[in-house]
Amino acid sequence: MTPVELSRTVLHAVRRAVDEGELAVAVLPERVVVAPPGPGGCGDYATNVALQLARPAGKPAPAVAELLRTRLLRTDGIHDVVVTGPGFLNISLAGGANARLTRLVRDILRAGPRYGHTNDLAGQAPELHAAPEVRALVLMDSVVRVLRSQGASPQMHCARPPQDAWVRILGVPSDITIASSDTPLRPVPAPADPTPLGRDAARWALLHPAPHDRPRIGGAENDAHLAQRETNPLFRVRYAHARARALRRNAADLGFAPQPGPLASDGDTQAVIPLLADHPRVLAATAAHRAPDRLARHLVAVADALAPLLPSVLPLGDEKPSAAHRARLALAEAAGTVLAGGLSLLGIDAPDHL
């Protein structure tokens, strides 16, 4: 439906309401202006026709808007209509960007941390061999996790059993078959013992760089991996996840919950959407290329795109929770869900509190 067609559709709803006695308006508008929603709005288009009709109809603008909303929802080509502010009608088109967004967020929340998991590799049992070195074993463990998320049943092999500290501290599996191979996974080795970093920071330090890049571990480099500041990408990912979880708790205190729905087309919301939609492809590529760094970089991108959205999720001051707040909360929760699921596949914890 084009903007011109939508304008005619809204005007037709107004005329029908007048003809059937629901609105008493002597002079009808010749046209209805529809435009992208402004701040606080949502959907694909918005119109202020209810505010224009309120005085001549002798009704409050929100009441006029609700009357027109009921009629528009019965119209083919319209997915949803939300009344915001003093009586603006925010319209989402069927098959439009907001309808796709609503489905995306709903799919993520329904799947939870398993969003992006498939059975595409069901029946496959790839045999992975790791060089007998800590980074290679951590990399193999993460690749196995991702392969399993795609339905495969991989087998792990190494020429020597992993050291006890690697199993105990880093979470390297102990049930690895002892076998040699001419073509093992052999990333650039860790330049120092990663275990002093602890499980989460050590695994990130080993997995975030591409396999052909040297990981930054040892001495002052360890401080950077443990720093609770924005220069640390792992901190940004986990902080974004914890903020999303905190918003859900704060919203519950205010009496509202996440509800997928249309959102305004602004930078704060639109940056994160394509990244969430791309998550299944990233998991498939990570599995195919045996490259957990792809997933790690993707999580950093999601966290950085989520950050500008977070301040606008909750109502400010005396503002009442609206459909737009519920939709933004659902989007933030979906992003937090993707971050938690991705970290889990890297073998890293995603705490609700930092």
Side-chain angles (χ1 to χ4, degrees):
M1 187 181 296
T2 67
V4 172
E5 291 170 336
L6 179 60
S7 174
R8 292 171 182 164
T9 298
V10 176
L11 184 56
H12 179 71
V14 171
R15 288 172 175 164
R16 290 290 301 275
V18 172
D19 292 344
E20 296 177 13
E22 292 182 330
L23 280 179
V25 179
V27 181
L28 293 176
E30 294 184 0
R31 59 189 293 267
V32 171
V33 176
V34 296
C42 58
D44 297 305
Y45 295 97
T47 177
N48 66 349
V49 67
L51 283 79
Q52 296 173 353
L53 295 172
R55 183 182 293 274
K59 292 177 177 285
V64 176
E66 189 59 38
L67 185 153
L68 295 176
R69 173 182 178 273
T70 301
R71 290 183 169 273
L72 290 170
L73 284 173
R74 298 196 294 263
T75 304
D76 291 340
I78 292 180
H79 170 70
D80 195 15
V81 182
V82 175
V83 179
T84 59
F88 291 102
L89 286 164
N90 297 261
I91 303 168
S92 298
L93 303 180
N98 273 283
R100 292 192 297 272
L101 168 61
T102 300
R103 287 194 296 271
L104 171 66
V105 173
R106 186 176 292 120
D107 288 346
I108 294 173
L109 296 183
R110 184 183 298 119
R114 293 180 58 82
Y115 170 65
H117 292 208
T118 72
N119 289 316
D120 291 349
L121 302 182
Q124 298 186 28
E127 295 194 6
L128 302 182
H129 294 260
E133 184 270 333
V134 61
R135 189 185 186 198
L137 286 163
V138 169
L139 186 146
M140 180 172 67
D141 175 43
S142 184
V143 170
V144 164
R145 292 167 184 259
V146 178
L147 284 167
R148 287 173 177 160
S149 79
Q150 304 301 295
S153 301
Q155 308 297 316
M156 293 180 287
H157 305 272
C158 185
R160 294 197 300 269
Q163 294 183 19
D164 176 68
W166 302 350
V167 175
R168 180 169 40 84
I169 299 175
L170 303 182
V172 172
S174 58
D175 57 343
I176 296 176
T177 302
I178 307 303
S180 299
S181 171
D182 294 333
T183 57
L185 295 172
R186 194 184 294 277
V188 174
D193 179 13
T195 57
L197 287 168
R199 172 170 174 151
D200 294 335
R203 290 184 70 100
W204 182 269
L206 295 170
L207 296 172
H208 182 240
H212 58 266
D213 290 333
R214 178 180 180 273
R216 296 165 45 230
I217 294 176
E221 301 283 12
N222 284 3
D223 295 337
H225 291 301
L226 297 172
Q228 302 290 294
R229 54 175 178 262
E230 291 185 356
T231 54
N232 179 359
L234 175 59
F235 171 74
R236 296 206 304 275
V237 171
R238 299 173 87 186
Y239 180 72
H241 167 264
R243 282 286 307 277
R245 292 293 184 262
L247 287 172
R248 174 64 183 264
R249 297 192 297 271
N250 294 338
D253 291 340
L254 295 174
F256 74 102
Q259 181 177 338
L263 287 164
S265 299
D266 55 52
D268 289 352
T269 60
Q270 297 303 310
V272 72
I273 293 169
L275 293 169
L276 300 184
D278 199 38
H279 186 64
R281 185 199 63 80
V282 171
L283 293 185
T286 298
H289 296 279
R290 315 295 197 248
D293 60 291
R294 295 185 178 218
L295 175 57
R297 290 195 301 272
H298 175 67
L299 297 181
V300 175
V302 171
D304 290 346
L306 175 62
L309 167 69
L310 297 176
S312 65
V313 170
L314 298 179
L316 300 177
D318 295 331
E319 188 179 11
K320 300 292 185 182
S322 66
H325 289 114
R326 291 189 288 273
R328 284 195 289 266
L329 178 61
L331 179 59
E333 182 164 352
T337 298
V338 166
L339 294 176
L343 286 173
S344 175
L345 292 175
L346 297 177
I348 297 173
D349 185 38
D352 286 353
H353 303 271
L354 278 183

